[in-house]
Structures are given as structure tokens and as C-alpha cells.
Amino acid sequence: MTHPPTRWELAGEGNKGYGETFAHRVSAGEDVDGEARLADALAPRNARILDIGSGMGRVSAALQARGHRVVATEPDPSLRAQSGSTYASLEVLPHEALALDPAELGSFDLVVVVGNVMIYLGEGTERSVLERVRDLLAPDGRVLLGFHLTAVKSGSRTYPADEFVADVAASGLRVVHRFGSYELREPVDDYAVWVLEPARA
């Protein structure tokens, strides 16, 4: 099945700076584990965790180091290469979100979708991606998402909070928490961190 190109793909060289920025931060010894700390707190010990759009691998690697069984997925070949050179023990699948097959991958205690993945999806695929995320969850599984609510870089979209909440509900999920940061600050207008779970019957 053919899916529309993602906004990330369409932006091309406009997104080159992402990997370079985080490579510099990692080499400088900066703290880049905020997302992983929250993900770790949301998951049981030795959890199965799926990281969709794992980028250069920093979140997946941090979760793996905490003892979780992590499946990382990143369709951008340059970011996969960067991930391999930075975190050699981390295997990264080349799948896009809609190519993730629950029958192949099984279910997960936590699905992580951070790093603005949601505002770079292919046009009109947001609900389909959320439905796929739902199908990949274990019965008690949860989802951690984080993204800017307004377009911030080349090719990204504005994704207002109320539109996202409507898409979540239409996809068989529900919002459990909304925060303004991965340190659980109160909600803000320009960035949102969400915890989702399957909708109750």
C-alpha cells in the first residue's frame, strides 16, 4: 500500500540540522534524556517499548540502557546511519509509522512518538498513524507523544491541541495527561507532551 510522502521527506535538506544539533549536544555531554526519563517512568520494568521516528537514537538508547526491550524505527537513512555510529548496539528498523505491522512486531507496553514526529507526518495521515499506534499497544499499554503545536521548522505543520484531541478520540485512544514539558510542567500554548491510552469501552 502506498502512503503519501511525509512532510519530513518533502522538506529534504531543510531538516539536515536536526541530526547535527543533537550530535553536538551529545558530544558536549549535555542532558538529552528528558523524554527517556519520562518514558521510563511510564513503563513497567523490562518493558517492550516502540520508538517511532527514533531519529539519531538518543531516546531508544537511553531506554535500552535502563533495561527496556526497545524497537527503534526511523525511515530517514541519514539518521539511521547517525544512530548506528553513535549507538552501535541499537538496531533501527527503516519502517515509517504506517508500515509498522502489529502481526510482525507484536504489542508494546509503551509507544514513544516524540521529537515532533506528529507534525512531520504525511498530509492527512494523522488519524491513520494514531490508529496504527493503538493497534500496537498491549491491553494496558500507553503512548507518550510530544510535539510543537505550531510549525517550527521547514516542512512542519501547525497541529492545534483541539484538533489533535479530536484525532485521538476518533482513533480509539484517549488523552490521560497533557503537560507543557517532559518535566511535567503545566500546559503551554506552543508545545505539548501527551500521555494516551486506549479508549475505554
Side-chain angles (χ1 to χ4, degrees):
M1 182 177 180
T2 303
H3 305 291
T6 64
R7 292 178 174 87
W8 182 270
E9 290 176 287
L10 294 174
E13 288 295 309
N15 290 319
K16 185 177 180 182
Y18 166 82
E20 295 173 349
T21 296
F22 277 101
H24 174 75
R25 292 181 64 184
V26 169
S27 65
E30 293 184 25
D31 177 16
V32 294
D33 288 351
E35 300 100 324
R37 282 193 296 271
L38 180 53
D40 180 54
L42 290 170
R45 298 308 83 195
N46 192 35
R48 290 200 79 227
I49 298 178
L50 175 64
D51 184 1
I52 297 178
S54 58
M56 67 166 292
R58 60 188 178 83
V59 176
S60 285
L63 290 169
Q64 192 176 67
R66 287 165 168 82
H68 298 294
R69 295 165 290 153
V70 181
V71 175
T73 69
E74 175 52 60
D76 186 318
S78 63
L79 290 176
R80 286 200 308 277
Q82 183 178 358
S83 180
S85 62
T86 308
Y87 306 106
S89 65
L90 180 68
E91 180 181 357
V92 183
L93 301 178
H95 301 53
E96 293 184 7
L98 289 173
L100 298 171
D101 184 356
E104 174 190 351
L105 296 176
S107 61
F108 294 87
D109 302 299
L110 182 69
V111 176
V112 176
V113 193
V114 297
N116 282 325
V117 168
M118 292 301 297
I119 61 174
Y120 281 107
L121 297 176
E123 184 175 354
T125 66
E126 291 84 359
R127 290 190 180 185
S128 295
V129 168
L130 289 168
E131 289 169 356
R132 183 58 51 88
V133 167
R134 176 204 65 203
D135 292 343
L136 287 157
L137 287 176
D140 293 328
R142 292 192 283 184
V143 188
L144 174 64
L145 299 99
F147 57 90
H148 282 88
L149 301 173
T150 55
V152 289
K153 292 184 179 180
S154 175
S156 63
R157 64 160 293 192
T158 292
Y159 199 176
D162 57 352
E163 182 180 344
F164 175 73
V165 170
D167 287 345
V168 166
S171 303
L173 296 164
R174 72 182 190 97
V175 174
V176 181
H177 300 291
R178 174 186 171 182
F179 303 107
S181 74
Y182 292 100
E183 293 72 40
L184 310 187
R185 303 287 185 184
E186 65 183 55
V188 293
D189 293 335
D190 61 340
Y191 193 86
V193 173
W194 310 86
V195 178
L196 313 179
E197 66 180 26
R200 296 172 180 170

